[in-house]
Amino acid sequence: MTSDDDLMAAASTPTEVKAAAAFVALGGLFVALTGLQVISVTWHDEWRNLAPYLFLGMGGLMVPTGAILYRGNPKAALLGLLLCTFSMFGTCGWFITTWGSVFSLMNIAAVPMVVIGAVLCGLSIPATRKMADARERLADEGLNLGF
């Protein structure tokens, strides 16, 4: 049987979850800014005209996902992993297909952020599950932390 102090310590947000949340949110900001930067550009290939809106949507989802992940939600860690992975392929593909026509510093910044965010989200899944379990046990004992 663990004490309440041990459960409180387990329910607090560890560093790897904080780092994952920061990289998911900042990566989302730069992904959205990548889309915003080229939203008024029109290409002959129709699929390229949809990319800015996809970047805005994915980046817009990543910012609140980072905030929810900071609170230790295991589902947010999984969602952050998926969004960062899709954003990684999208921003890398965008960089390659627009090489020579568009130079986006936002995209260059987004690529490493979403790669690191994906890795950290994958590493933070066990920690978020441990946090959720500890918070559930605390709530069962009448010590609801408001999460």
Side-chain angles (χ1 to χ4, degrees):
M1 188 65 101
T2 58
S3 70
D4 288 341
D5 291 335
D6 293 336
L7 286 176
M8 291 292 279
S12 65
T13 306
T15 305
E16 64 265 21
V17 175
K18 290 177 184 178
F23 275 99
V24 169
L26 285 174
L29 176 66
F30 280 100
V31 168
L33 288 174
T34 298
L36 188 62
Q37 186 178 25
V38 293
I39 200 160
S40 63
V41 179
T42 305
W43 283 278
H44 294 296
D45 298 330
E46 196 60 37
W47 68 270
R48 286 189 186 182
N49 294 325
L50 296 176
Y53 299 104
L54 290 174
F55 287 150
L56 281 169
M58 286 197 341
L61 284 173
M62 289 171 70
V63 173
T65 300
I68 296 169
L69 175 57
Y70 188 85
R71 295 179 66 176
N73 189 328
K75 291 179 184 177
L78 289 171
L79 181 60
L81 175 63
L82 289 173
L83 288 172
C84 283
T85 303
F86 290 141
S87 295
M88 175 184 63
F89 288 122
T91 55
C92 288
W94 185 253
F95 181 77
I96 292 167
T97 59
T98 60
W99 183 263
S101 61
V102 174
F103 183 74
S104 171
L105 289 175
M106 298 301 161
N107 191 26
I108 291 171
V111 172
M113 284 191 191
V114 296
V115 169
I116 294 170
V119 170
L120 290 175
C121 279
L123 294 174
S124 71
I125 291 172
T128 56
R129 288 185 178 152
K130 182 180 174 183
M131 291 171 63
D133 291 341
R135 289 177 180 172
E136 186 176 320
R137 283 185 278 159
L138 283 169
D140 290 343
E141 293 179 12
L143 296 171
N144 191 352
L145 298 176
F147 295 103

